[in-house]
Amino acid sequence: MVSIAAYKSGKDYLNHSTSTPPSPNQCLMPLTAQVNEQDHLEIGGCDVTDLVSRFGSPLYIVDETTLRTTCQHYQQAFKQYYPGESLVLYASKAWNCLAVCAIANSEGLGIDVVSGGELLTAIEAEVDSEKIYFHGNNKSVEELQLAIDANVTIVVDNWYELQTLIKLAEHRTQPLPVLLRVTPGIECHTHEYIQTGHLDSKFGFDPDQLESVFDAIKQSPSITCIGLHAHIGSQIFELQPHYDLADVMVRWLIKAKDYGLPVCELDIGGGLGMKYTEHDDPPSIHDWVKKVCDAVLAACETHGLPLPKLLSEPGRSIIGPSCITAYTVGSQKVIPGMRTYLTVDGGMSDNPRPITYQSVYRAVIANKMSQSLQESPITLAGKHCESGDIVIKNVHLPEATSGDIVTVLGTGAYNYSMASNYNRIPRPAAVLVSNGDASIIIRRETHQDLMRFDQMPVHLLAK
């Protein structure tokens, strides 16, 4: 834990102006965060306490400026550092909904989806089918047929899926173009659940399978391979693994060409981390993109390969810094000499990452931004019937009372998308804020919503 002397209040988490605009993934607060005359936190020109009064809590608050700026950083960086064609895909599993997909699309990004539901959402958000890429290690036949009918690009993960697609595409007049997901054998320092590039992974074809896969595709008239994909993990702060990945993948592109496959796309995945606490120091978006582009350029030059269309799939670093979650403080339990629990009206059902990954966040009290922090840390607890439902353990906050608005920072990635109805608690609303206006992008669930799929067997009905 950082020394209490290192900061005094929530104001110290604001993004102070510098000579160069900050990379959004390196900021604890959304870019528009400021403290108003009432000493309240504002995001997108909207007072957070007013938003809670209007829309209730818990409440996801998405800053449109931060979201758009992050998309623009990726777009600008690839244009600056890669002379060939490139496409940034928003990895929508981080937060897939109509509004977020539409904003990413309007900024020129494509969409990476991993299910039929995410695919249909991207289509409904009017994303061009040519800019939708469909991932997943166990796509159903129905999902694969949906993707074929929608004319989106399928990233094939395994033999079963490849054989299924060969059969589904056998009546096409032209071969079905696909990418192949490769497990490159590159590890990085991140949580083991989100390491996907090492060989012991459920994702992708292992290197010793690839030549057999290339040969099978060469022999099939209904399918063809136009590129390769790899993803080495998530919340990564290291740059070298991405550099190493490029050489591995370019070698496999050359091997695919030896089999006569028209490979022209290279998808290097995503994985750039974001700042969750003051201790985190992720590379900037521009530094990450430059490393990736330099690596691909060097590998292509070394091996004499024309530049492929370069794809990337950032998710967390795009949506994560754009959102905060506002809670209302309820009960408090003081255990003398041990711990103080401060309970909020949400928890693991709207943010399962702390209990799942032991993820760490920072928080402020949105209606007490300048007040000094208490010397003793408190434990911010959720309301669910689980002793492990802890939002943040040992966090320094100003003295809090019932009704205060505790706001957790950096909650855009994998909070809403992994939210549940555990304990039959309705999921929160989400609002998009910009220039003082707030728009609902996800309505708050009701108790009636929770029961809408329940069915009472006839023999249990009252006589």
Side-chain angles (χ1 to χ4, degrees):
M1 172 57 66
V2 68
S3 167
I4 200 70
Y7 52 86
K8 297 180 181 179
S9 71
K11 279 188 174 181
D12 294 86
Y13 287 143
L14 296 179
N15 309 310
H16 300 291
S17 60
T18 61
S19 57
T20 57
S23 184
N25 71 307
Q26 296 177 316
C27 299
L28 281 172
M29 287 274 198
L31 298 179
T32 62
Q34 60 182 1
V35 178
N36 63 24
E37 293 180 353
Q38 287 73 45
D39 199 33
H40 293 178
L41 176 63
E42 283 189 359
I43 303 293
C46 297
D47 187 313
V48 169
T49 62
D50 288 346
L51 292 173
V52 170
S53 296
R54 289 175 59 192
F55 301 108
S57 68
L59 182 66
Y60 299 118
I61 302 170
V62 181
D63 179 38
E64 185 171 352
T65 295
T66 302
L67 179 52
R68 289 189 180 277
T69 300
T70 310
C71 294
Q72 292 161 13
H73 274 229
Y74 273 106
Q75 291 281 72
Q76 293 162 4
F78 273 100
K79 289 178 181 177
Q80 179 177 350
Y81 299 119
Y82 194 69
E85 185 181 1
S86 62
L87 176 63
V88 180
L89 302 167
Y90 166 58
S92 69
K93 67 175 185 174
W95 183 329
N96 182 287
C97 71
L98 288 172
V100 172
C101 287
I103 290 172
N105 181 50
S106 71
E107 292 295 340
L109 276 63
I111 304 292
D112 155 5
V113 301
V114 297
S115 72
E118 288 186 357
L119 172 56
L120 287 170
T121 303
I123 292 171
E124 187 68 19
E126 300 184 349
V127 180
D128 187 337
S129 63
E130 294 183 356
K131 295 169 65 177
I132 300 175
Y133 285 66
F134 190 14
H135 292 266
N137 71 303
N138 193 27
K139 308 177 190 75
S140 68
V141 172
E142 292 77 16
E143 286 175 321
L144 291 172
Q145 188 62 60
L146 174 63
I148 292 171
D149 293 343
N151 200 33
V152 306
T153 301
I154 300 170
V155 182
V156 181
D157 189 89
N158 51 66
W159 274 110
Y160 170 77
E161 186 175 306
L162 179 60
Q163 292 161 355
T164 302
L165 281 172
I166 289 173
K167 185 174 181 179
L168 289 175
E170 62 186 4
H171 300 300
R172 289 173 59 93
T173 56
Q174 296 293 327
L176 177 70
V178 301
L179 269 65
L180 300 177
R181 178 162 184 168
V182 181
T183 307
I186 295 174
E187 294 195 32
C188 47
H189 296 125
T190 186
H191 193 288
E192 70 171 304
Y193 294 168
I194 50 180
Q195 288 181 338
T196 57
H198 57 298
L199 291 178
D200 185 10
S201 170
K202 73 174 187 176
F203 296 104
F205 291 98
D206 290 341
D208 61 2
Q209 298 177 307
L210 276 178
E211 291 203 54
S212 296
V213 174
F214 293 157
D215 187 59
I217 294 175
K218 179 182 179 180
Q219 303 302 322
S220 172
S222 66
I223 196 168
T224 190
C225 175
I226 63 168
L228 301 179
H229 164 275
H231 179 65
I232 61 175
S234 183
Q235 188 58 3
I236 302 171
F237 290 0
E238 303 165 277
L239 292 176
Q240 189 60 40
H242 295 285
Y243 197 93
D244 297 339
L245 175 65
D247 190 73
V248 172
M249 297 303 290
V250 165
R251 289 173 184 268
W252 281 115
L253 282 175
I254 293 171
K255 181 63 70 173
K257 282 181 174 290
D258 290 343
Y259 278 83
L261 301 179
V263 288
C264 57
E265 296 189 7
L266 175 58
D267 188 335
I268 47 78
L272 175 61
M274 60 170 281
K275 192 179 189 74
Y276 283 106
T277 77
E278 64 280 354
H279 302 296
D280 292 334
D281 187 23
S284 71
I285 290 169
H286 273 256
D287 285 347
W288 184 85
V289 172
K290 184 177 187 303
K291 191 73 170 183
V292 166
C293 293
D294 286 349
V296 173
L297 291 171
C300 288
E301 182 178 0
T302 297
H303 300 291
L305 182 74
L307 292 183
K309 179 179 180 180
L310 183 57
L311 288 80
S312 65
E313 299 167 353
R316 179 194 311 271
S317 58
I318 287 181
I319 190 62
S322 305
C323 179
I324 61 175
T325 303
Y327 301 98
T328 301
V329 174
S331 63
Q332 188 169 155
K333 178 181 180 180
V334 180
I335 307 175
M338 187 173 294
R339 188 182 306 279
T340 295
Y341 288 94
L342 188 69
T343 305
V344 296
D345 57 352
M348 62 183 288
S349 64
D350 59 76
N351 183 2
R353 294 188 68 250
I355 197 171
T356 305
Y357 301 130
Q358 295 76 54
S359 300
V360 181
Y361 288 84
R362 285 294 174 258
V364 298
I365 298 183
N367 54 301
K368 296 178 177 178
M369 289 297 292
S370 296
Q371 291 193 19
S372 297
L373 307 183
Q374 295 186 93
E375 290 289 336
S376 298
I378 60 95
T379 292
L380 196 64
K383 66 174 292 179
H384 304 79
C385 193
E386 290 285 344
S387 57
D389 181 25
I390 302 299
V391 181
I392 309 176
K393 188 176 183 179
N394 296 333
V395 60
H396 288 278
L397 292 173
E399 184 175 355
T401 58
S402 177
D404 282 339
I405 307 302
V406 169
T407 301
V408 178
L409 313 178
T411 57
Y414 305 104
N415 283 226
Y416 166 72
S417 65
M418 295 174 69
S420 73
N421 293 126
Y422 184 57
N423 291 163
R424 283 239 149 167
I425 292 176
R427 283 174 290 191
V431 295
L432 183 70
V433 294
S434 179
N435 297 318
D437 293 325
S439 304
I440 286 280
I441 57 173
I442 298 170
R443 69 169 179 82
R444 186 176 303 280
E445 290 180 338
T446 66
H447 289 111
Q448 287 70 34
D449 289 330
L450 298 179
M451 293 181 283
R452 69 189 185 279
F453 296 122
D454 286 13
Q455 293 273 14
M456 182 70 79
V458 173
H459 73 278
L460 295 181
L461 294 173
K463 301 294 184 181

